[in-house]
Amino acid sequence: MREANLYAPVKAYLEAQGYVVKAEIGDCDILARRGDEPALVVELKLTFSLALVMQGVARQALFDHVYLAVPVSGQKGWALRYKDIIRLCRRLGLGLLAVRLG
């Protein structure tokens, strides 16, 4: 699996919310706009990690709305960590998109 596999489902989700979605704008994996609202950024990664969180926090210096998108894992570890991941993202002001693939 590659990060690019996350793009189509995230793009479809955002477009269903009324956003115009662009890939790879500057250092951002996804940049989305809806009307006159501020842009939102989504960073795509294959696993939730400290590096992803730090990337999201760095994007917050430029954008008010930053989301982290990772695939939902069928592994037991994901289920055990999910609540902690949500709690961390909320505390940092980051959104989380848990992407189900195929």
Side-chain angles (χ1 to χ4, degrees):
M1 182 187 318
R2 300 174 313 149
E3 284 181 19
N5 296 99
L6 298 172
Y7 177 72
V10 171
K11 180 181 182 195
Y13 173 77
L14 292 172
E15 287 179 337
Q17 306 291 321
Y19 287 93
V20 174
V21 179
K22 303 290 182 189
E24 299 295 333
I25 303 296
D27 290 333
C28 302
D29 292 333
I30 294 177
L31 182 75
R33 293 203 61 121
R34 180 169 58 188
D36 293 335
E37 295 176 16
L40 70 82
V41 169
V42 181
E43 291 300 334
L44 308 172
K45 288 289 182 266
L46 296 179
T47 59
F48 191 87
S49 66
L50 180 58
L52 175 60
V53 171
M54 291 171 51
Q55 189 175 9
V57 169
R59 297 294 177 266
Q60 287 176 318
L62 302 171
F63 300 94
D64 291 333
H65 305 288
V66 178
Y67 290 81
L68 310 177
V70 293
V72 173
S73 168
Q75 300 172 359
K76 187 177 181 181
W78 173 259
L80 294 174
R81 295 179 37 207
Y82 187 70
K83 288 182 181 180
D84 292 332
I85 289 170
I86 291 173
R87 191 176 303 117
L88 175 63
C89 287
R90 281 187 181 147
R91 175 144 316 229
L92 295 174
L94 296 166
L96 177 66
L97 298 172
V99 181
R100 288 199 189 274
L101 298 172

